[in-house]
Amino acid sequence: MPLIKQHISKSIEQDQRKRERDCTSLELQLSDPSSAARRWAARDLISCPEATGALVLQLQQEDDSSVREIILTTLTQLGDELAVASLVGYLRSEDVALRNEAIEAMKLLPDEVAPIMGKLLIDPDPDVRISAVNILESLRHRQVEEWLTKVIEEDPHVNVCATAVDLLGEVGTTSAQEALEKLKTRFPDEPYISFAADLALKRIRST
Amino acid sequence: MADTTISQEDFLKFREFFYRKTGIHFDDSKRYFVDKRLIERIVATESVTFRSYFVMLRFETSGEELQALTNLMTVNETYFFREEYQFKCLVNTLLPEIITSKKEGQLLRIWSVPSSSGEEAYSIAIYLLEYWPGINHWDVEIISSDIDTKILAQARNGDYSARSVEKLPAYFLEKYFRRKGDAYQISDDLKQAVEFTKVNLMKPEDVRPYRGFDIIFCRNLLIYFDDLSRRTAADTFFDALNPGGFLCLGHSESMSRISSLYQTRKFADSVVYQKSKEAQ
């Protein structure tokens, strides 16, 4: 029968890594010419909590998307203050892919992102505020409705409010009703806001 | 008392959310199935309405409720030739494409994970022997892994219920199994053809040696993982595959919501995910 066994248990025993796997060596391998070596280094750095800085640095200059994805996965798993701060930094990036990757990564970190969400939602840059609302779309946190309500009550930018009101239509409860009514008066010349607020109110009242 | 009414709008909203989170799509004909399970969870969690349950489901930090609901919405069973269309794709399309970039004498390697009690790995072996003429010219190694050592022992043992083999033609039962009362035992030849190993996909030291695969089957596992674990598994499979290698997921799973590492390939029999031939 041409189906053969090679006994992987042997290959596991014989799994000699070509490169050193201590934290310092792994950090150096983040700039290896081979993208496979960089991916393996980024993955193995999960055992090195001090490696966040090196990962962040590499992410800024990494142009291979497969390596970037694994660096982001490791940063998300590490989830420390520096990792979260670097993800926040990428929300300002001109690189759309990196910005979206940061949003996706931050959605996976509710406990780490929650303490800074209030600050993100009043960032001077409306694009960052829109990104923050986008994070709320899938952030598993009990304050989501509260944050969204505050956005539609206070944010001066129509696009930020439009993003928030769409989401409130999905997740809002009766406690968001008053803010939704007021929103229509805050942007009387924006027909989309009226339409979206009415739709959200209809959904909330129908359930 | 809870209001467990689920309106059409609720159903559509839930369906869209559940699809986004798990890749599992319910068509309209599954409405009764979905409603029944949703109501069960609304009652179990003491939610007052569908909406309050849905808000909790979306924003609960631990993700435990989504997991409980996912378990309820999926049928955790395995049997020979389950989702057979992918095996057809394997022999009709994937292997013929893989061998175009192989040199004669090179080994083809297939990884089936999770092994569960071995039905998938043995099905692959039977399918290759029965339906792939290339088996006469190429050596194939099938490795099947699971985190559960008890289930691995069961897989190595190869005893199956009548229900587990009911999709197999009688001819295959005669050829590859021994009858043991009401049960069936897989032949020694097939037992010898599949290597079963223990692996935890979340542990880098466990998965490190798993490299150089041409095809990976990972069906109906990722739906049980949280988002970060799904992504970690996707990253692991990427480096376990050879350039140009294929990853086969379950019919309700989609890599596009998990990772951007793979190229989606749509074939007549199935949708599979491919590591770029240019990738290192």
Side-chain angles (χ1 to χ4, degrees):
Chain A
M1 190 180 286
L3 296 171
I4 63 161
K5 265 191 192 180
Q6 292 238 100
H7 295 292
I8 198 165
S9 44
K10 274 189 197 157
S11 63
I12 291 169
E13 282 164 24
Q14 293 162 359
D15 180 42
Q16 300 291 330
R17 306 305 300 271
K18 290 178 190 153
R19 302 155 206 256
E20 295 299 321
R21 310 315 286 170
D22 63 277
C23 294
T24 311
S25 305
L26 287 171
E27 287 186 19
L28 287 171
Q29 286 160 38
L30 283 175
S31 48
D32 192 284
S34 152
S35 58
R38 298 202 298 281
R39 279 198 306 274
W40 277 105
R43 181 177 293 118
D44 285 355
L45 278 168
I46 187 64
S47 338
C48 303
E50 308 288 310
T52 306
L55 287 162
V56 169
L57 204 64
Q58 182 59 29
L59 189 55
Q60 283 162 358
Q61 58 202 36
E62 180 60 62
D63 54 10
D64 184 309
S65 58
S66 71
V67 184
R68 263 168 41 165
E69 174 159 330
I70 290 172
I71 292 178
L72 276 161
T73 305
T74 304
L75 281 175
T76 310
Q77 285 172 317
L78 289 170
D80 58 23
E81 215 170 294
L82 180 56
V84 175
S86 73
L87 293 173
V88 171
Y90 301 138
L91 295 182
R92 298 177 201 288
S93 170
E94 291 299 310
D95 180 340
V96 180
L98 185 56
R99 205 163 60 226
N100 288 335
E101 284 163 355
I103 290 172
E104 292 306 313
M106 290 174 78
K107 284 177 180 175
L108 304 178
L109 293 168
D111 292 337
E112 293 76 9
V113 168
I116 56 165
M117 184 49 76
K119 213 170 155 191
L120 284 177
L121 289 170
I122 54 166
D123 192 278
D125 181 348
D127 286 338
V128 171
R129 302 203 299 277
I130 288 173
S131 294
V133 173
N134 286 331
I135 292 166
L136 291 180
E137 189 264 332
S138 281
L139 191 75
R140 298 177 169 282
H141 200 278
R142 59 186 163 73
Q143 268 180 281
V144 167
E145 186 184 11
E146 193 184 307
W147 282 319
L148 290 171
T149 306
K150 201 154 182 238
V151 168
I152 64 165
E153 281 173 342
E154 296 175 5
D155 199 290
H157 200 291
V158 66
N159 291 346
V160 182
C161 288
T163 312
V165 77
D166 285 343
L167 188 49
L168 266 175
E170 287 184 49
V171 304
T173 66
T174 47
S175 49
Q177 283 187 106
E178 199 183 328
L180 283 163
E181 291 288 2
K182 276 188 190 159
L183 179 67
K184 291 190 279 183
T185 62
R186 287 186 61 216
F187 297 99
D189 301 328
E190 298 289 349
Y192 178 75
I193 291 286
S194 276
F195 167 78
D198 283 337
L199 188 62
L201 284 164
K202 190 179 155 201
R203 283 178 174 168
I204 288 169
R205 284 167 186 156
S206 72
T207 51
Chain B
M1 192 174 153
D3 171 11
T4 54
T5 315
I6 295 168
S7 68
Q8 176 66 5
E9 198 184 347
D10 294 338
F11 171 72
L12 295 176
K13 199 193 297 183
F14 169 75
R15 177 166 78 175
E16 200 268 332
F17 164 77
F18 199 66
Y19 175 72
R20 223 166 47 216
K21 299 308 288 182
T22 66
I24 300 171
H25 174 76
F26 295 111
D27 60 31
D28 291 341
S29 67
K30 292 276 168 52
R31 174 76 196 267
Y32 174 75
F33 171 93
V34 172
D35 280 12
K36 195 164 174 279
R37 280 153 185 79
L38 271 175
I39 290 166
E40 189 179 326
R41 292 311 304 165
I42 290 170
V43 172
T45 55
E46 299 179 353
S47 302
V48 182
T49 59
F50 165 80
R51 194 176 178 91
S52 59
Y53 174 74
F54 187 57
V55 169
M56 183 267 283
L57 184 68
R58 274 186 84 138
F59 298 115
E60 168 208 39
T61 312
S62 69
E64 277 173 24
E65 183 51 31
L66 181 61
Q67 193 57 67
L69 186 65
T70 304
N71 292 350
L72 207 57
M73 293 286 183
T74 52
V75 183
N76 187 17
E77 63 169 346
T78 181
Y79 47 84
F80 280 84
F81 284 22
R82 184 183 181 190
E83 298 181 22
E84 186 184 352
Y85 61 92
Q86 280 200 330
F87 301 135
K88 285 185 182 160
C89 185
L90 170 74
V91 297
N92 293 336
T93 313
L94 305 186
L95 285 169
E97 184 170 323
I98 291 283
I99 57 173
T100 59
S101 55
K102 290 265 182 193
K103 290 184 191 134
E104 208 172 313
Q106 269 189 306
L107 184 65
L108 294 168
R109 301 183 78 219
I110 299 174
W111 189 17
S112 153
V113 59
S115 75
S116 186
S117 34
E119 286 90 335
E120 180 176 273
Y122 290 131
S123 294
I124 292 169
I126 294 172
Y127 228 84
L128 293 182
L129 293 168
E130 293 293 330
Y131 299 113
W132 189 51
I135 198 72
N136 297 316
H137 310 288
W138 297 88
D139 284 337
V140 181
E141 182 183 22
I142 302 170
I143 293 164
S144 190
S145 308
D146 206 288
I147 193 170
D148 180 344
T149 49
K150 277 189 192 161
I151 205 86
L152 283 167
Q154 212 175 308
R156 289 187 193 106
N157 206 32
D159 288 328
Y160 297 101
S161 67
R163 183 177 159 76
S164 181
V165 299
E166 70 183 1
K167 297 258 181 200
L168 290 175
Y171 164 71
F172 289 174
L173 282 178
E174 273 178 40
K175 190 171 175 185
Y176 295 110
F177 292 82
R178 253 195 319 272
R179 190 81 191 250
K180 284 172 73 182
D182 290 339
Y184 294 83
Q185 185 170 55
I186 201 101
S187 72
D188 289 341
D189 278 352
L190 280 183
K191 279 194 214 173
Q192 289 305 315
V194 180
E195 169 92 340
F196 289 99
T197 63
K198 179 182 176 293
V199 75
N200 178 351
L201 283 176
M202 295 302 113
K203 284 175 76 178
E205 61 272 30
D206 267 23
V207 296
R208 217 172 266 152
Y210 291 79
R211 278 175 271 177
F213 289 97
D214 298 296
I215 295 163
I216 297 175
F217 283 86
C218 179
R219 307 191 301 173
N220 307 305
L221 172 70
L222 300 184
I223 46 174
Y224 297 103
F225 284 8
D226 64 22
D227 293 341
L228 188 54
S229 305
R230 270 186 205 129
R231 191 164 152 142
T232 306
D235 293 351
T236 294
F237 292 144
F238 188 77
D239 274 311
L241 281 170
N242 287 327
F246 293 103
L247 172 62
C248 303
L249 300 180
H251 74 283
S252 63
E253 297 170 315
S254 168
M255 184 52 73
S256 54
R257 272 174 301 282
I258 301 171
S259 163
S260 54
L261 290 172
Y262 298 85
Q263 296 167 346
T264 304
R265 297 281 307 270
K266 290 179 183 164
F267 297 116
D269 302 310
S270 181
V271 174
V272 299
Y273 302 93
Q274 186 173 31
K275 178 174 176 174
S276 160
K277 288 177 182 163
E278 288 73 42
Q280 288 182 335

